[in-house]
Amino acid sequence: MKTIQESPLSVQGLTVAYQKKPVLQDVTFEVPEGKLIAIVGPNGAGKSTLIKAALGLIPKVRGDVRIYGKPYVQQRKMIGYVPQRESVDWDFPTSALDVVMMGRYGHLGWFKRPGANEKRIAMESLDKVGMADFAGRQISQLSGGQQQRIFLARALAQDAKLYFMDEPFVGVDAATEKAIITLLNELKKQGKTVLVVHHDLSTVNEYFDWVLLLNVGLIDVGPVDSVFTAANLQITYGGRLAVLDRSQDALVVTTR
């Protein structure tokens, strides 16, 4: 594992509370570069909170978050973020291309308008997620899966080194899920690091290299083969874990 100074994401003693009730409690971990990492845990475990706290979107009670050894405010250009789709105002009057071009603003600065180069990068990003033909379409006219692809394209246009994706697979069709997986593997080949809040336990083995098990506190983190075990999942989910089975050398899990 890389040192704190080199790790894409280093979290030390992170605690977040809502109305004095801890949502994350003393979470400490580091992740290596160039891995696809699933953040897994039951509802209310603090998965989305972890991402938002790392990005400075919500205040923390205590703890420290470092992106390649520096605070987030110094490393914004290195980070891409795909929020939960339901948290976005899809009725806002803007086109798919305009949304994707927003991913270039961090490279431009406050006073420089996007030009031909930014449009080219945005169109290439749309093409990679199969949405180039929808560039001029208003985002409110897109299906849920298409909207998710637009946000993935925006993250691609950011050309980040570290990506956070909050439930990108929720509510999408099979074609979009396949497109997301293709994109994740492309980012991995480029040496990018991607953390994904993920709910479908049956695909963790197939889709990810590492897994971070969370339930307010950190249960375990590391390679899927060694961390995504029946014992760890029982600790993470408790009585909500209904079925544990081994099928074709992969752990298959069903939650209540």
Side-chain angles (χ1 to χ4, degrees):
M1 187 179 295
K2 291 179 178 292
T3 64
I4 292 176
Q5 288 73 27
E6 298 175 317
S7 175
L9 176 65
S10 174
V11 176
Q12 303 291 323
L14 181 62
T15 297
V16 178
Y18 294 144
Q19 298 180 342
K20 298 184 179 180
K21 180 181 179 181
V23 181
L24 290 176
Q25 182 73 51
D26 196 26
V27 172
T28 296
F29 67 91
E30 294 178 27
V31 298
E33 196 167 35
K35 301 293 183 183
L36 304 181
I37 304 162
I39 303 174
V40 169
N43 291 336
K47 303 182 296 295
S48 295
T49 298
L50 174 61
I51 287 181
K52 291 175 182 177
L55 295 172
L57 298 175
I58 57 174
K60 55 183 180 289
V61 174
R62 59 179 174 271
D64 185 54
V65 178
R66 298 280 165 161
I67 310 297
Y68 286 97
K70 296 180 181 180
Y72 165 76
V73 292
Q74 298 179 28
Q75 303 284 54
R76 287 175 178 165
K77 292 181 181 180
M78 301 178 73
I79 298 170
Y81 175 44
V82 178
Q84 292 183 15
R85 188 164 53 85
E86 59 265 30
S87 68
V88 178
D89 179 10
W90 293 106
D91 291 326
F92 188 80
T94 189
S95 70
L97 179 60
D98 287 339
V99 171
V100 177
M101 287 181 66
M102 291 176 188
R104 299 301 303 164
Y105 289 173
H107 296 270
L108 292 172
W110 289 105
F111 303 107
K112 189 175 179 181
R113 295 176 62 84
N117 185 57
E118 282 66 44
K119 184 175 181 179
R120 175 185 61 79
I121 292 172
M123 285 301 301
E124 288 175 353
S125 300
L126 283 167
D127 187 55
K128 287 180 179 178
V129 298
M131 290 295 293
D133 291 342
F134 296 83
R137 189 79 61 88
Q138 291 288 303
I139 57 172
S140 61
Q141 298 173 351
L142 301 174
S143 70
Q146 290 169 337
Q147 290 171 347
Q148 190 66 285
R149 293 195 200 195
I150 294 302
F151 259 58
L152 289 165
R154 187 185 71 165
L156 269 182
Q158 288 179 269
D159 192 25
K161 294 184 68 176
L162 172 64
Y163 288 90
F164 294 93
M165 301 187 182
D166 198 349
E167 301 185 8
F169 295 101
V170 170
V172 302
D173 55 26
T176 297
E177 181 160 343
K178 184 177 179 180
I180 294 171
I181 289 302
T182 299
L183 174 61
L184 292 181
N185 283 298
E186 179 180 335
L187 293 172
K188 177 184 172 181
K189 288 178 183 178
Q190 295 172 7
K192 317 286 190 177
T193 305
V194 188
L195 286 92
V196 179
V197 173
H198 191 62
H199 283 283
D200 184 1
L201 301 184
S202 67
T203 58
V204 170
N205 287 281
E206 179 183 359
Y207 291 172
F208 297 96
D209 308 306
W210 269 45
V211 61
L212 187 155
L213 297 175
L214 188 70
N215 193 348
V216 182
L218 178 69
I219 307 302
D220 204 352
V221 60
V224 169
D225 289 345
S226 59
V227 170
F228 195 65
T229 65
N232 274 344
L233 287 168
Q234 287 285 9
I235 295 170
T236 305
Y237 286 88
R240 281 170 282 191
L241 198 63
V243 178
L244 283 168
D245 191 15
R246 286 274 176 185
S247 176
Q248 299 179 347
D249 297 323
L251 185 64
V252 178
V253 187
T254 302
T255 56
R256 296 185 194 278

